[in-house]
Amino acid sequence: MIRQPTLSLSRAFFPSLKNNNTNTLCSSFQKVYNPHYNHRTYLIHKKYYSTSNNNKDNNNNTMDWSRVTDEEWKQRLTPEQYHVAREKGTERPWTGQKFEKEGDFRCVACKSLIFAQKAKFESGCGWPAFYEPIPGSVKEFSDVSHGMVRTEVVCATCNAHLGHVFKDAPSQPTGLRFCINAVSLDQEKPDH
């Protein structure tokens, strides 16, 4: 059996990129579950070429988030935000910030819109809960860490860890409970 090189999820890793005049060597990660590796989830590093060099820091739609180094993430985020968003940590229940009744929610790392205010509900779990994300704003992956089988939710733009989604909210329109770390979210201020 040939084993492909893998990278454990417990380490934050951003590959360095090589530039030339027309192409940028970019990297993507594919998260896969492989039962031959002690029943853990791994990232497989893949390379591809992109002809776009629009990496403006002030616009998350053109920013190449795979180029952000570990040190740059530490400068952008507080230690607690870094631990949760980049190291896949979890804040303790009932300790996160309390959110206002108005204003949509953005990823703390890249400021992408993640959840609408109308999707928020009180679940009693100790973390902010939502019944659906903005379409295309999150990616879901199998998470078998800590002896549990869960579905991890990450930002589709920058891959910041947000929390997990569970199928245990039958009173909500989707039946889903997106259980999200408060430290992974910024709430927009309503325009009044």
Side-chain angles (χ1 to χ4, degrees):
M1 177 173 93
I2 298 173
R3 293 186 178 192
Q4 296 181 355
T6 59
L7 176 66
S8 174
L9 286 177
S10 62
R11 293 184 359 225
F13 176 76
F14 293 97
S16 59
L17 301 176
K18 298 176 183 176
N19 291 321
N20 61 30
N21 292 340
T22 58
N23 292 327
T24 302
L25 178 60
C26 300
S27 299
S28 69
F29 294 92
Q30 179 182 2
K31 191 170 181 179
V32 296
Y33 173 68
N34 189 332
H36 300 291
Y37 289 101
N38 299 325
H39 300 286
R40 292 188 185 144
T41 305
Y42 289 85
L43 291 175
I44 304 244
H45 180 223
K46 295 188 172 189
K47 294 182 178 178
Y48 63 93
Y49 281 91
S50 169
T51 57
S52 172
N53 287 321
N54 297 328
N55 296 325
K56 296 185 169 94
D57 196 20
N58 60 353
N59 185 344
N60 68 340
N61 293 329
T62 59
M63 175 76 174
D64 183 358
W65 292 99
S66 67
R67 294 187 70 170
V68 179
T69 66
D70 204 29
E71 287 305 311
E72 289 172 322
W73 280 123
K74 287 179 181 177
Q75 290 173 1
R76 287 174 177 265
L77 304 171
T78 67
E80 186 180 18
Q81 289 170 338
Y82 178 82
H83 173 66
V84 172
R86 306 312 317 165
E87 296 177 326
K88 302 190 183 297
T90 301
E91 65 189 353
R92 291 182 14 227
W94 309 108
T95 61
Q97 66 181 345
K98 304 297 182 235
F99 291 110
E100 301 298 322
K101 296 190 184 217
E102 294 183 27
D104 293 336
F105 297 88
R106 294 186 173 273
C107 172
V108 73
C110 70
K111 309 304 182 212
S112 292
L113 190 59
I114 304 290
F115 294 103
Q117 172 62 43
K118 67 179 176 110
K120 188 175 185 313
F121 69 97
E122 182 55 50
S123 69
C125 69
W127 293 276
F130 303 86
Y131 62 80
E132 71 181 351
I134 302 293
S137 66
V138 301
K139 295 186 283 188
E140 297 177 2
F141 298 105
S142 176
D143 177 2
V144 294
S145 63
H146 306 292
M148 298 177 273
V149 177
R150 300 177 291 175
T151 302
E152 179 189 14
V153 178
V154 301
C155 173
T157 303
C158 70
N159 291 322
H161 173 75
L162 301 171
H164 293 86
V165 61
F166 303 95
K167 297 178 182 177
D168 62 0
S171 64
Q172 300 304 315
T174 62
L176 300 174
R177 175 176 56 96
F178 286 82
C179 185
I180 306 298
N181 291 286
V183 73
S184 294
L185 298 174
D186 274 339
Q187 188 175 23
E188 292 180 335
K189 303 294 181 208
D191 297 328
H192 288 348

